[in-house]
Amino acid sequence: MTSASLHPATGPGRRTVVAAAGAAGLAAALTACGSGDDSSDTGSGSDGSTGSTQNGGSAAGGTAAGGTALAKTADIPEGGGKIFKDQGVVVTQPTAGTYKAFSAKCTHRGCSVGSVADGVILCPCHNSEFSAADGSVKKGPATQALPAAKITVSGDEIKLA
């Protein structure tokens, strides 16, 4: 008659396995629903707005003193806007000469917004709509406004601050 060992083979305990699974799930949730975007710092103003009445030529790129040049004011249509995926921002012109910037990451599931027209920033993933004037939610499922991003308008140039 052979008796089985009373001590099972050593390995990770049940608590260790459960804790590791919980940590992995939390990491996945935070990655999918991250609230920040490293490339779009929020500014001190609550709406990220800067006014200008000048118009100019084509889009600019690269880094200049005072921030990353995004575009010329003429590149941002009145009532619409332009999405800068590499910088993670969307710049709008809700009224003539008024420019605003917001994070291009939808607050619902983190998708990149897809278009701006008729005063609305649209996320193509679940059709959330945001105001081009202040980033507020116009239609869900998103429940939080797009965070403002700080821009500066100097002459006909729009820069990410």
Side-chain angles (χ1 to χ4, degrees):
M1 179 161 149
T2 310
S3 64
S5 172
L6 296 175
H7 300 290
T10 60
R14 183 171 57 132
R15 288 183 183 172
T16 303
V17 172
V18 170
L26 179 62
L30 291 175
T31 300
C33 297
S35 64
D37 186 346
D38 293 339
S39 65
S40 62
D41 298 329
T42 57
S44 58
S46 63
D47 62 4
S49 64
T50 303
S52 174
T53 57
Q54 301 196 10
N55 294 320
S58 63
T63 302
T68 301
L70 292 175
K72 299 291 185 185
T73 54
D75 296 332
I76 310 301
E78 186 177 343
K82 187 170 180 182
I83 300 163
F84 299 90
K85 289 184 181 184
D86 290 344
Q87 292 80 12
V89 297
V90 55
V91 177
T92 65
Q93 185 180 188
T95 59
T98 302
Y99 300 91
K100 310 252 180 162
F102 308 97
S103 169
K105 185 186 253 186
C106 179
T107 57
H108 175 238
R109 294 278 187 199
C111 296
S112 181
V113 296
S115 63
V116 186
D118 301 321
V120 176
I121 302 168
L122 177 66
C123 178
C125 292
H126 300 103
N127 296 319
S128 288
E129 295 179 1
F130 302 91
S131 168
D134 62 11
S136 64
V137 176
K138 292 184 79 135
K139 178 183 155 201
T143 59
Q144 295 181 342
L146 293 175
K150 189 170 181 182
I151 57 171
T152 59
V153 178
S154 179
D156 68 346
E157 189 171 60
I158 300 172
K159 293 181 182 179
L160 187 59

